[in-house]
């Protein structure tokens, strides 16, 4: 592994409460404090404070966030702070996910259905490979970090070394790559695929968007070339490289045979149990499915739902926790640092994963759909999570009970470097505005003033349907608005936020997703509808977090629509005013004039889009003028170019031209619509 050096790059020094917080938390780590909390108000620069601590501590760091959007935003920020280090993004690779389940009262079996985002899967592999090859690593992850991942020892052990001059023929190298789960193809290469062309072999690793060509001379590797995957221009000529497996779950042939014997033995035990319990239907169902899976694994090395047998392949005992991303961190450095962002949400989320998964699996096992060992394909329990992390820093504007009870010290960061103070609060009744439509009318009137002033507006509702309805209602009145909630796909959420910051629309309507960690300095007004409906979405914590969305703009203000002053409202308003008074006093004492946060607008979804999509877009920009001059001649020339590419087996270039023609001619085929269930 390379030497550990974190190089923090920033154009500004710590300011406000940041210097004291950095010093206190770093000192706490040096004194051996296992758990600390940074109580930082929205906009006080908690991420920058943590970045300074990482640079001083010089340990591989796991940053846990409670949703993919926030994780992507944090990953982008840490990349800007540490451009010379390895900053990676690790979240669930499903665009949507329907877990396997059985509903007994209606006798309904729901098969697992999932759509994997290949680009996010590539980023996951890049993260784990970084942990196995270097120590200056920061990984921003969702709670996907506590789910089973496969043994880091096996993943590291089963790799292929390719070296120029080595005694290796093409067929032998193909077998080795297929042995670590690469797939053979004759079409465009995707991560984890290979193809043979003449006396050469081309493949694309799973951790990077790069194409490698290995050229053979008889039974010897003549040279290795890294090519640009689009232009196929030569990038470099390495003397050697290591290729890691295309899947995280890796088992050699001997271990696989042992695992299959164990699965068959467990099947026999469960069938005997069903026989004693006089459950012939369940026994037949389990026997048919398990034997089918065993046959597929033996012949193909894989079956749908193979993760349910992970205990056998890992060689774990019943109830023993699975390998997770945390095991990769421990292999990198047992003393790694953990930062739990927005801890008041992330910690309960970590704690709730196990129970839901267990109850679903119990039903499947009881009715013969799965073996009992399927229970061991699971997330970590909270106690197991606690055992696996060491030094931890919790960051939140509203720390929960757990953080308050377990932290050795709690450090406040209330003064913002920008001099910004918490927003002005206005409480307005709902009844006086004749019900729900009345508060909406008042909100529109206030929002219109803000929009004319060049600002952006947020509105929070209680349900997803209300968010969608309000966005449609605003659009009907010629107000540019969009909605955002957990049913919106990961990359689409990030795109919406980027467009909002750029001013492509003026009002963003959401539910819970708008509360934590969204860095939107353009927002001048936040409207909290039905603020007096006591509950999770209108608790003290939720209200303070929502109020914080207006704290990055000097003109920030919040309107709370309420007829009743609930306990949560009183506490949230009281805490906000307490902080506001401290901030105003600090500004007066130091002669500070507040300034709106200036933050460059970047598309944090860019790293999750494929190079193919990006390049097609770039080609369209370059070729549209030529197309307009003579569309027919341009199309004919492009088709000849595409045919030439196919003839020389350059399928990647051919696919780029094909997709460009689809866009220019407006004939791009549409995928069939399908129902999707989001992964929360």
């Amino acid at each position: 592994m390379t030497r550990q050096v974190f190089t923090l790059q920033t154009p500004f020094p710590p300011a406000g409460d940041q210097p004291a917080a950095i010093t206190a938390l770093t000192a706490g780590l040096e004194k051996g404090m296992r758990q600390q909390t940074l109580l930082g108000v929205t906009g006080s620069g908690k991420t920058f404070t943590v970045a300074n601590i990482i640079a001083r501590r010089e340990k591989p760091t796991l940053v846990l966030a409670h949703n993919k959007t926030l994780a992507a935003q944090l990953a982008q920020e840490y990349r800007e702070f540490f451009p010379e280090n390895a900053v990676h993004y690790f979240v669930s690779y499903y665009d949507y996910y329907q877990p396997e389940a059985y509903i007994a009262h209606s006798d309904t079996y729901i098969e697992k259905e999932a759509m994997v985002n290949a680009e996010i899967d590539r980023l996951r592999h890049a993260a784990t490979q970084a942990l196995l090859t270097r120590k200056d690593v920061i990984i921003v992850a969702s709670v996907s970090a506590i789910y089973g991942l496969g043994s880091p020892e096996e993943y590291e052990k089963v790799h292929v070394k390719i070296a120029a001059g080595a005694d290796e023929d093409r067929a032998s190298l193909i077998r080795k790559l297929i042995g670590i789960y690469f797939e053979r193809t004759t079409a465009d290469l995707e991560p984890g695929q290979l193809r043979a062309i003449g006396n050469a072999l081309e493949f694309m690793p799973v951790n990077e968007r790069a194409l490698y060509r290995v050229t053979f001379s008889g039974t010897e590797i003549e040279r290795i070339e890294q090519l640009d995957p689009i232009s196929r221009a030569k990038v470099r000529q390495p003397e050697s490289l290591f290729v890691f497996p295309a899947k995280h779950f890796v088992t050699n042939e001997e271990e696989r045979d042992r695992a299959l014997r164990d699965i068959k033995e467990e099947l026999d035990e469960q069938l005997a149990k069903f026989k004693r319990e006089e459950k012939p239907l369940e026994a037949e169902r389990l026997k048919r499915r398990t034997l089918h899976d065993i046959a597929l694994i033996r012949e193909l090395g894989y079956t749908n739902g193979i993760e349910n047998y992970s205990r056998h392949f890992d060689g774990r005992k019943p109830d023993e926790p699975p390998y997770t991303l945390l095991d990769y961190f421990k292999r990198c450095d047992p003393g790694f640092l953990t930062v739990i962002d927005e801890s008041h949400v992330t910690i309960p989320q970590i704690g709730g994963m196990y129970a839901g998964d267990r109850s679903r699996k119990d039903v499947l096992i009881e009715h013969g759909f799965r073996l009992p060992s399927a229970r061991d394909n699971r997330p970590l329990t909270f106690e197991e999570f606690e055992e696996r992390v060491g030094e931890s820093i919790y960051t939140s504007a509203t720390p929960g009970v757990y953080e308050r009870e377990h932290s050795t010290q709690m450090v406040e960061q209330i003064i913002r470097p920008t001099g910004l103070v918490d927003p002005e609060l206005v409480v307005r009744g709902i009844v006086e505005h004749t019900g729900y439509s009345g508060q909406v009318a008042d909100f529109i009137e206030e929002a219109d003033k803000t929009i004319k002033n060049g600002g952006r507006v947020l509105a929070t509702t209680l349900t997803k349907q209300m968010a969608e309805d309000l966005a449609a209602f605003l659009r009907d009145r010629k107000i540019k608005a969009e909605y955002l909630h957990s049913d919106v796909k990961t990359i689409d959420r990030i795109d919406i936020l980027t467009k909002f910051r750029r001013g492509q629309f003026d009002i963003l309507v959401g539910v819970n997703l708008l509360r934590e960690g969204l860095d939107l300095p353009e927002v001048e007004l936040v409207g909290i509808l039905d603020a007096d409906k006591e509950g999770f979405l209108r608790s003290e914590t939720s209200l303070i977090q929502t109020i914080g969305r207006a704290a990055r703009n000097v003109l920030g203000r919040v309107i709370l629509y309420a007829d009743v002053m609930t306990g949560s409202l009183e506490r949230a308003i009281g805490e906000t005013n307490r902080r506001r008074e401290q901030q105003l006093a600090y500004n007066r004492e130091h002669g500070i004039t507040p300034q709106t946060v200036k933050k460059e607008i970047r598309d944090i979804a860019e790293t999750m889009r494929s190079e193919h999509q990006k390049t097609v877009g770039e080609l369209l920009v370059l070729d549209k003028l030529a197309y307009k001059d003579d569309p027919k001649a341009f199309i004919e020339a492009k088709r000849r170019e595409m045919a030439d590419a196919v003839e020389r087996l350059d399928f990647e270039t051919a696919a780029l031209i094909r997709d460009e023609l689809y866009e220019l001619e407006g004939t791009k085929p549409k995928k069939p619509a399908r129902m999707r269930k989001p992964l929360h």
Side-chain angles (χ1 to χ4, degrees):
M1 291 189 181
T2 58
R3 190 167 61 91
Q4 178 99 21
V5 178
F6 281 99
T7 306
L8 176 63
Q9 293 190 12
T10 173
F12 48 83
D17 277 348
Q18 290 173 343
I22 293 165
T23 300
L25 291 167
T26 304
L29 292 173
E30 291 170 353
K31 291 175 184 175
M33 293 182 186
R34 192 169 181 273
Q35 294 167 295
Q36 302 178 84
T37 294
L38 172 61
L39 192 164
V41 298
T42 302
S44 64
K46 295 189 289 292
T47 305
F48 181 53
T49 296
V50 171
N52 276 270
I53 294 168
I54 292 171
R56 294 187 184 189
R57 194 61 174 160
E58 293 200 328
K59 293 216 177 252
T61 302
L62 169 64
V63 180
L64 278 174
H66 64 87
N67 67 55
K68 292 179 178 181
T69 308
L70 176 55
Q73 179 175 298
L74 287 169
Q76 183 61 50
E77 290 179 3
Y78 281 113
R79 284 187 186 123
E80 292 172 6
F81 288 137
F82 297 101
E84 297 177 11
N85 303 112
V87 179
H88 292 280
Y89 178 67
F90 187 97
V91 298
S92 165
Y93 51 32
Y94 296 120
D95 272 340
Y96 74 98
Y97 180 72
Q98 168 61 62
E100 181 183 31
Y102 179 67
I103 304 171
H105 68 82
S106 60
D107 191 27
T108 304
Y109 172 70
I110 303 170
E111 192 169 358
K112 171 188 168 183
E113 186 179 4
M115 179 176 285
V116 172
N117 184 313
E119 194 66 14
I120 294 180
D121 190 30
R122 179 184 71 79
L123 295 173
R124 286 166 63 93
H125 280 280
T128 52
Q129 290 178 27
L131 286 170
L132 296 176
T133 55
R134 56 196 298 177
K135 288 197 171 185
D136 59 329
V137 182
I138 299 169
I139 295 181
V140 184
S142 67
V143 291
S144 177
I146 69 167
Y147 278 79
L149 192 59
S151 166
E153 286 82 3
E154 289 298 319
Y155 185 73
E156 183 178 25
K157 185 169 61 179
V158 185
H159 66 263
V160 173
K161 182 180 180 181
I162 304 174
D167 186 17
E168 183 95 71
D169 61 27
R170 197 188 71 169
S172 170
L173 185 55
I174 288 174
R175 284 194 296 272
K176 285 183 180 179
L177 291 176
I178 290 174
I180 58 172
Y181 304 105
F182 274 72
E183 295 178 358
R184 193 166 183 172
T185 183
T186 56
D188 297 347
L189 283 178
E190 293 292 329
Q193 292 184 338
L194 63 89
R195 65 183 176 193
I197 302 177
N199 69 332
L201 170 67
E202 295 183 346
F203 66 92
M204 187 175 284
V206 288
N207 65 313
E208 58 179 326
R209 273 281 173 186
L211 178 65
Y212 287 92
R213 168 178 279 184
V214 181
T215 305
F216 296 86
S217 177
T219 59
E220 182 179 291
I221 295 176
E222 183 178 311
R223 67 181 178 275
I224 305 165
E225 296 169 296
Q226 181 185 338
L227 308 178
D228 182 278
I230 306 303
S231 68
R232 300 182 66 79
K234 181 178 172 180
V235 177
R236 64 189 182 99
Q237 188 170 325
E239 286 300 310
S240 64
L241 68 145
F242 290 91
V243 185
F244 281 86
K247 297 181 186 297
H248 278 113
F249 291 92
V250 179
T251 309
N252 60 42
E253 190 171 345
E254 184 180 329
E255 286 296 301
R256 185 187 66 191
D257 291 342
R258 177 200 53 74
L260 292 178
R261 289 195 299 271
D262 290 347
I263 293 169
K264 180 63 169 61
E265 185 178 320
E266 185 188 13
L267 171 63
D268 292 341
E269 290 175 2
Q270 189 68 359
L271 291 178
K273 178 176 180 291
F274 280 146
K275 184 176 181 180
R276 290 194 301 272
E277 295 172 351
E278 297 183 352
K279 292 183 174 180
L281 175 63
E282 287 81 354
E284 179 59 29
R285 180 185 287 152
L286 182 65
K287 180 180 178 182
R288 186 171 62 248
R289 155 166 281 193
T290 309
L291 291 178
H292 176 71
D293 286 347
I294 289 173
L296 284 176
I297 294 170
R298 180 170 284 119
E299 295 300 319
L300 304 177
Y302 181 80
T303 184
N304 189 32
I306 192 172
E307 65 275 6
N308 289 289
Y309 305 107
S310 61
R311 189 191 86 197
H312 295 294
F313 287 100
D314 291 343
R316 288 182 283 127
K317 297 175 182 177
D319 296 324
E320 193 174 341
Y323 295 108
T324 67
L325 182 65
L326 301 179
D327 292 288
Y328 284 76
F329 264 100
K330 289 183 96 53
R331 189 166 180 81
C332 178
D333 185 337
F336 70 94
L337 175 65
T338 302
V339 177
I340 302 186
D341 195 76
E342 302 294 354
S343 57
H344 63 284
V345 177
T346 309
I347 285 177
Q349 192 179 55
I350 294 169
M353 293 291 117
Y354 174 80
D357 182 84
R358 180 64 180 247
S359 63
R360 180 175 57 82
K361 295 274 179 59
D362 284 345
V363 174
L364 288 167
I365 292 163
E366 180 187 350
H367 292 89
F369 290 96
R370 287 291 169 196
L371 291 170
S373 57
R375 292 190 183 99
D376 295 309
N377 168 44
R378 60 173 176 82
L380 298 175
T381 65
F382 191 73
E383 292 72 21
E384 290 165 347
F385 170 78
E386 285 182 304
E387 290 169 3
R388 281 159 180 72
V389 297
E391 300 175 345
S392 300
I393 295 176
Y394 310 114
T395 69
S396 174
T398 52
V401 174
Y402 178 87
E403 301 94 290
R404 293 182 182 278
E405 289 182 351
H406 289 78
S407 294
T408 306
Q409 74 166 334
M410 186 169 295
V411 178
E412 278 199 342
Q413 188 169 291
I414 291 176
I415 307 302
R416 299 181 175 90
T418 56
L420 283 170
V421 300
D422 278 24
E424 177 187 357
L425 303 182
V426 178
V427 181
R428 291 190 180 163
I430 298 173
V431 173
E432 64 187 69
H433 293 292
T434 63
Y436 185 75
S437 62
Q439 62 180 336
V440 170
D442 183 80
F443 169 73
I444 291 174
E445 184 180 331
E446 293 292 339
D448 188 54
K449 297 175 189 175
T450 301
I451 293 166
K452 286 178 179 175
N453 192 45
R456 241 79 86 221
V457 180
L458 294 181
T460 63
T461 63
L462 287 172
T463 67
K464 296 174 186 177
Q465 189 62 55
M466 287 166 66
E468 294 180 18
D469 291 346
L470 180 54
F473 183 82
L474 293 168
R475 286 194 292 267
D476 288 344
R477 279 146 187 78
K478 310 302 180 187
I479 299 172
K480 291 184 286 185
E482 297 289 344
Y483 66 84
L484 192 67
H485 55 59
S486 58
D487 283 356
V488 179
K489 288 197 299 182
T490 306
I491 293 179
D492 291 339
R493 293 181 218 171
I494 300 168
D495 279 336
I496 289 169
L497 291 170
T498 303
K499 289 175 182 176
F500 181 56
R501 291 200 61 207
R502 287 176 176 159
Q504 291 176 239
F505 61 93
D506 300 310
I507 300 181
L508 181 59
V509 187
V511 194
N512 194 28
L513 194 61
L514 288 177
R515 296 191 297 110
E516 296 93 359
L518 298 182
D519 192 352
L520 307 169
E522 295 78 15
V523 171
E524 292 183 10
L525 173 65
V526 174
I528 303 178
L529 305 180
D530 300 306
D532 58 358
K533 300 299 186 289
E534 186 76 80
F536 173 70
L537 292 176
R538 296 295 182 264
S539 65
E540 176 190 354
T541 296
S542 295
L543 289 169
I544 290 175
Q545 290 286 343
T546 307
I547 289 167
R549 297 314 108 212
R552 288 179 169 87
N553 194 294
V554 72
L555 300 176
R557 62 194 180 101
V558 178
I559 302 176
L560 302 109
Y561 291 95
D563 289 326
V564 179
M565 190 57 64
T566 63
S568 292
L569 266 173
E570 287 180 348
R571 290 188 295 273
I573 293 171
E575 176 62 12
T576 301
N577 288 337
R578 178 187 77 86
R579 296 175 180 180
R580 183 178 168 87
E581 287 171 9
Q582 286 189 35
Q583 293 154 356
L584 288 169
Y586 183 89
N587 288 350
R588 284 194 298 269
E589 182 182 345
H590 294 84
I592 295 174
T593 301
Q595 296 178 353
T596 296
V597 172
K598 301 296 182 187
K599 186 176 178 65
E600 185 179 351
I601 300 172
R602 293 197 178 188
D603 187 352
I604 55 181
E606 198 67 17
T607 57
M608 287 183 279
R609 292 195 183 87
S610 71
E611 291 295 334
H612 183 92
Q613 291 170 314
K614 295 175 194 173
T615 306
V616 170
E618 291 166 3
L619 289 173
L620 282 168
V621 172
L622 294 172
D623 289 342
K624 274 185 176 177
L625 289 175
Y627 174 76
K628 286 180 180 178
D629 289 342
D630 190 342
K632 186 176 180 181
F634 181 85
I635 293 295
E636 288 177 358
K638 280 290 180 182
R639 290 192 184 281
R640 284 196 300 273
E641 201 177 322
M642 181 169 66
D644 290 342
V646 171
E647 193 169 328
R648 62 177 184 269
L649 304 181
D650 188 355
F651 298 111
E652 290 184 347
T653 300
L656 285 169
I657 299 169
R658 176 201 65 198
D659 289 350
E660 185 186 6
L661 291 174
Y662 282 153
E663 295 288 349
L664 289 169
E665 296 179 308
T667 58
K668 190 166 185 177
K670 294 182 179 179
K671 292 181 180 179
R674 62 189 301 176
M675 295 297 290
R676 294 182 175 185
K677 182 177 179 63
L679 174 67
H680 295 284

